[in-house]
Amino acid sequence: DAGVIQSPRHEVTEMGQEVTLRCKPISGHNSLFWYRQTMMRGLELLIYFNNNVPIDDSGMPEDRFSAKMPNASFSTLKIQPSEPRDSAVYFCASSLDFWEGDTDTQYFGPGTRLTVL
Amino acid sequence: TQLLEQSPQFLSIQEGENLTVYCNSSSVFSSLQWYRQEPGEGPVLLVTVVTGGEVKKLKRLTFQFGDARKDSSLHITAAQTGDTGLYLCAGPFSGTYKYIFGTGTRLKVLA
């Protein structure tokens, strides 16, 4: 399997622009997570989907952030409008089924490094 | 608020040396996981510990879960340059699916 695929790997944009990050989870995995990693705050969970349904988006920082999962093989994280403080590495992770227990393995993608100027 | 504090924050050692990284919390966790993250990549799961006092070995890496399930340690024997990376501990928040990650230990092993 190719693992979790994220695109783009790097994104540089100007403040105010819309940014869309994409994720393809591992085939057969029912749970999908979006994380953000910064030096100051470490790795933070933004939103969690199970069977394409958003279960918990309490980690989404503001209304400028939105995430969708239209089908089992694709998810997007959108920031509109983007701000310099959104600069971070955004990771997507998938797991077989988190409802089975909290020791399931999360497989992370390579991340998207976002820079907002 | 459940927090996972890791120490040390940075560690630079020579190849062949031993080291221990710690993950501490004031809260009880049902399980703890250890990840290693290399530059430009996502974290990769190394191990999950579930039972208080549990010890797991993965080649030169030894993981221990504290008896009270509030802390964990990672010991590396005879470190190699390939061990270089960011080590993260993580645990489920109050028994939910939401994982919180520790502050991280950045390890550099010099040849």
Side-chain angles (χ1 to χ4, degrees), chain A residues 9 37 48 56 58 91 98 102, chain B residues 30 37 40 42 97-99:
Chain A
R9 292 294 311 273
Q37 187 175 42
Y48 160 58
D56 189 333
S58 60
F91 289 101
F98 243 57
D102 60 17
Chain B
S30 57
Q37 183 179 10
Y97 49 80
K98 290 173 69 169
Y99 264 69

Side-chain angles (χ1 to χ4, degrees), chain A residues 9 33 35 37 39 43 45 48 55-56 58 91 98 102-106 108-110, chain B residues 30-31 33 35 37 40-43 45 48 50 86 88 92 96-99 101 106:
Chain A
R9 292 294 311 273
F33 308 81
Y35 288 89
Q37 187 175 42
M39 288 294 291
L43 197 61
L45 177 65
Y48 160 58
I55 302 300
D56 189 333
S58 60
F91 289 101
F98 243 57
D102 60 17
T103 60
D104 201 5
T105 300
Q106 294 184 61
F108 283 78
Chain B
S30 57
S31 64
Q33 297 184 329
Y35 291 79
Q37 183 179 10
E41 298 182 11
L45 180 65
T48 301
V50 179
L86 176 66
L88 297 163
T96 72
Y97 49 80
K98 290 173 69 169
Y99 264 69
F101 281 77
R106 200 167 293 276

Side-chain angles (χ1 to χ4, degrees), chain B residues 35-66:
Chain B
Y35 291 79
R36 179 169 64 213
Q37 183 179 10
E38 298 187 18
E41 298 182 11
V44 175
L45 180 65
L46 297 174
V47 79
T48 301
V49 286
V50 179
T51 306
E54 181 177 4
V55 176
K56 280 192 174 179
K57 291 193 174 183
L58 187 66
K59 296 183 181 178
R60 295 176 294 101
L61 278 59
T62 302
F63 305 85
Q64 184 161 8
F65 200 11

